[in-house]
Amino acid sequence: MPRAPTRLRRWAASLARQLTALAAAYRDPRTPLGARVVIGAVLIYALSPLDLIPDALPVVGLLDDLVLVPLGIALALRLLPGDVLRDARQTATTVALRDLGRHLGRWGVALVVALWAAFVLAIGLWLWRLR
């Protein structure tokens, strides 16, 4: 199997480090509420096995991951105070993302399922009203 180009691998590793830093910043009590909400949404979307646009759709299915996730990360990083971001990036160099989220456990899974269920319900109600 051919290896991914080095540049693409570096970009993917950078995204993983940024997500790890965001997870660390989310847990930091100095993080403002607005930034915490954006970070939570980005982490849920990036780490959820469900996508807004299924990956099975050719090209379009992967575009949401290639566009929405980096844009969400950029927005979340802009909302963080400098000292929180610096500390979170330092944490990201020593801790893996799975370790930061390990304590989330069942509550995290329940939250992701509840959010997706609410999203599907909202779309269903909207479509029902259209008919």
Side-chain angles (χ1 to χ4, degrees), residues 83-127:
D83 57 335
V84 174
L85 180 57
R86 184 177 48 256
D87 293 347
R89 284 184 172 156
Q90 179 63 34
T91 300
T93 62
T94 59
V95 176
L97 184 59
R98 69 177 176 274
D99 295 334
L100 283 173
R102 186 164 287 159
H103 77 283
L104 196 59
R106 292 182 184 154
W107 287 108
V109 171
L111 178 63
V112 169
V113 169
L115 287 172
W116 277 110
F119 178 71
V120 168
L121 180 64
I123 296 229
L125 289 173
W126 178 70
L127 290 173

Side-chain angles (χ1 to χ4, degrees), residues 21-31 36 39 43 91 95 99-103:
L22 288 178
Y26 183 85
R27 294 178 62 199
D28 192 318
R30 300 172 294 168
T31 301
R36 199 176 295 254
I39 291 169
L43 289 173
T91 300
V95 176
D99 295 334
L100 283 173
R102 186 164 287 159
H103 77 283

Side-chain angles (χ1 to χ4, degrees), residues 36-98:
R36 199 176 295 254
V37 168
V38 171
I39 291 169
V42 169
L43 289 173
I44 286 172
Y45 187 79
L47 301 176
S48 173
L50 303 173
D51 280 342
L52 190 58
I53 303 170
D55 289 342
L57 295 173
V59 181
V60 178
L62 295 176
L63 279 179
D64 69 327
D65 293 329
L66 294 174
V67 174
L68 292 179
V69 172
L71 285 175
I73 290 172
L75 175 62
L77 292 175
R78 284 182 159 248
L79 294 174
L80 284 173
D83 57 335
V84 174
L85 180 57
R86 184 177 48 256
D87 293 347
R89 284 184 172 156
Q90 179 63 34
T91 300
T93 62
T94 59
V95 176
L97 184 59
R98 69 177 176 274

